[in-house]
Amino acid sequence: MGAALLLGGCALGFNPQRVPASVEIPAEGVIVPLEVADNLPFVQVSVNGSEPLWFMIDTGAFTAIIDDDAAAAAGMKASMRFGTHATSAGDHFGRMDQAAFDRLTIGGATFAGFEGLVADLSHLEAAVDHPFDGVIGIPLMYASVWTIDYPGRQLRIAPASAELPDDEHVLPFLYSGDAPAIEIHVGEVAIQAEIDTGSSSGLDLSPEDAQRFPRDDGPSISIRHQTLTGEVWEELVRLKGTVRIGSLTREGLMVSLARDTMLGGEILSNCIFTIDCPRQRVRIEELAKESAAKPAEEAESNEAAADP
């Protein structure tokens, strides 16, 4: 039995300006430190000139979200709105306040003139044991190329002119709602899976997809997801056969039986993941475990050398 975080998507009874009116990224791009907590990527941002805030990068979120306390400290004024959150916990209609992001900066990259949601995120912060001031949704990535280097603990943001190499790690994607969805293979069967960096689990299968594949006869396990609207328990089972995600393969993978088919942070946590929204492509390169361990070992070595 374990716990995972899954924000899921949202649908609103209004149409906010989710996409930034302007995006400014240096030609050489920007590189900023990344922290990973419970398989979730966090970077520091500034909102409307605020002190540094910790935002999670969530390719499954349809908009930006900021914690209500952080919004108040940044001088943001929220307008009361109501809408429907759609998560694995089900659809929940309720209050979803809206506020203007005049400017959000990540290193030397600036995203200006868009709207997002204001919500109490304190329960999510407790769930992942990491500061949790907000969420960067997929609309902020539309006009640039984002690379989440999980093992190297870096986020790289490049202008739209940057292109991915044509190699075995690159896959095209389509939008499933607002989330990018790629084709993966379970055995010889191809299915569509949304890529959700805001989920700490590995591979989730919808009821329809789960019925198509043989499972191991061993006992199932239950896992608890913390969503934006509450908790939900899901069943974990082991698939028979090979799961292929581009050049990445898994044998006998444990999967969660969920509402939708999604690929989350547990699988991506040993990868360099790039999403190129302008050309609708992703690149998922899995590093050898010894290579992935080097950044952490080097950091520990540097800290030891700095101690008197």
Side-chain angles (χ1 to χ4, degrees), residues 11-56:
L12 301 183
F14 59 97
N15 186 27
Q17 173 61 39
R18 300 175 294 151
V19 180
S22 67
V23 175
E24 297 181 7
I25 300 170
E28 66 276 13
V30 300
I31 300 175
V32 296
L34 179 83
E35 291 193 0
V36 180
D38 197 19
N39 299 322
L40 304 171
F42 288 87
V43 294
Q44 286 194 313
V45 311
S46 175
V47 176
N48 298 356
S50 72
E51 294 296 316
L53 301 169
W54 284 103
F55 271 45
M56 183 183 72

Side-chain angles (χ1 to χ4, degrees), residues 175-247:
Y175 284 104
S176 174
D178 292 284
I182 59 173
E183 182 177 272
I184 70 173
H185 292 82
V186 182
E188 299 302 317
V189 180
I191 60 174
Q192 293 291 315
E194 296 177 6
I195 302 180
D196 188 358
T197 59
S199 169
S200 60
S201 61
L203 177 63
D204 295 346
L205 292 181
S206 68
E208 294 78 14
D209 285 335
Q211 292 176 2
R212 303 171 67 185
F213 309 115
R215 309 176 195 173
D216 191 275
D217 296 330
S220 63
I221 303 171
S222 293
I223 187 169
R224 175 173 55 87
H225 284 302
Q226 177 69 58
T227 76
L228 197 61
T229 58
E231 293 183 351
V232 61
W233 286 88
E234 292 175 352
E235 184 182 6
L236 285 178
V237 299
R238 190 178 300 278
L239 291 180
K240 290 183 179 179
T242 303
V243 176
R244 289 185 291 114
I245 306 162
S247 63

